[in-house]
Amino acid sequence: MDEPRDKGLTLNPKYDRDGLITAVVTDAATGEVLMLAHMNDQALALTIETGLAHFWSRSRQSLWKKGETSGNMLEVRDLRIDCDQDAVWMKAVPAGPTCHTGARSCFFRRVGAEGLSAVDTVE
Amino acid sequence: MDEPRDKGLTLNPKYDRDGLITAVVTDAATGEVLMLAHMNDQALALTIETGLAHFWSRSRQSLWKKGETSGNMLEVRDLRIDCDQDAVWMKAVPAGPTCHTGARSCFFRRVGAEGLSAVDTVE
């Protein structure tokens, strides 16, 4: 265990070889997990500074302000970091559906022994 | 968008270059995010089969049944997969503190403009 990083009160993110940490977003009202994405140092700094979720798009290789094109921004209500500082948890108020499929949450399918089943309507 | 993967009902995880997907665990009772870890295909299969959380430890490079040494297993109540199938969300009943620091959740520190602050007591 890296004591200062794991238990201290200094922000010291452990970025991976691509310079990223993982970010999980839950709905501040319902607790539902809405999405999972990644942040580089700039995305994390902008999220803290503006109170709006920013990520790093691995597919587009660019900074991504969530909702910039769709309007479905995520307003941060609480931001936490985990023990080894390679992941953050954001409680947010979503302005609309979070998933690019139109679903409220990206996690709209259940995994069972028999495969997947839908648990949320894709609009 | 990869239509079948993003909207279909066939389990087809998109493993990264290390053969892993990300797993986020929330407390089935409180909704709190407890931890974030990774799974390879074997860990995912064992989780589905046994109903107990299994991960792949990147630091130890080995399969990891959560709670095998600490006793603090995670009993799966619901398992979801996200749109692009590179992340799962597990609602679980934790047998004890989930974090290796002794905290209930790994996300026991808040990130603010002034740095970190503790929001949960590390026992």
Side-chain angles (χ1 to χ4, degrees), chain A residues 8 17-18 78 109-110, chain B residues 8 17-18 78 109-111:
Chain A
R17 59 190 150 165
D18 296 318
D78 193 12
R109 290 170 297 183
R110 175 167 291 135
Chain B
R17 60 189 150 167
D18 296 319
D78 192 13
R109 291 170 296 183
R110 175 165 291 136
V111 183

Side-chain angles (χ1 to χ4, degrees), chain A residues 40-80:
Chain A
N40 63 0
D41 56 353
Q42 193 189 1
L44 178 60
L46 282 168
T47 300
I48 296 170
E49 194 184 310
T50 65
L52 294 172
H54 289 71
F55 304 107
W56 175 257
S57 168
R58 294 184 300 177
S59 54
R60 294 192 301 271
Q61 288 287 301
S62 64
L63 188 73
W64 164 36
K65 180 184 173 183
K66 172 72 182 162
E68 195 157 37
T69 52
S70 67
N72 296 327
M73 286 175 293
L74 293 167
E75 198 184 305
V76 183
R77 287 297 158 88
D78 193 12
L79 186 65
R80 307 278 191 94

Side-chain angles (χ1 to χ4, degrees), chain A residues 20-43:
Chain A
L20 303 175
I21 56 172
T22 309
V24 53
V25 182
T26 61
D27 187 312
T30 67
E32 184 179 26
V33 176
L34 296 176
M35 64 176 291
L36 195 142
H38 297 81
M39 288 180 170
N40 63 0
D41 56 353
Q42 193 189 1

Side-chain angles (χ1 to χ4, degrees), chain A residues 94-110:
Chain A
T98 299
C99 186
H100 73 288
T101 62
R104 199 176 61 240
S105 158
C106 293
F107 295 85
F108 56 88
R109 290 170 297 183
R110 175 167 291 135

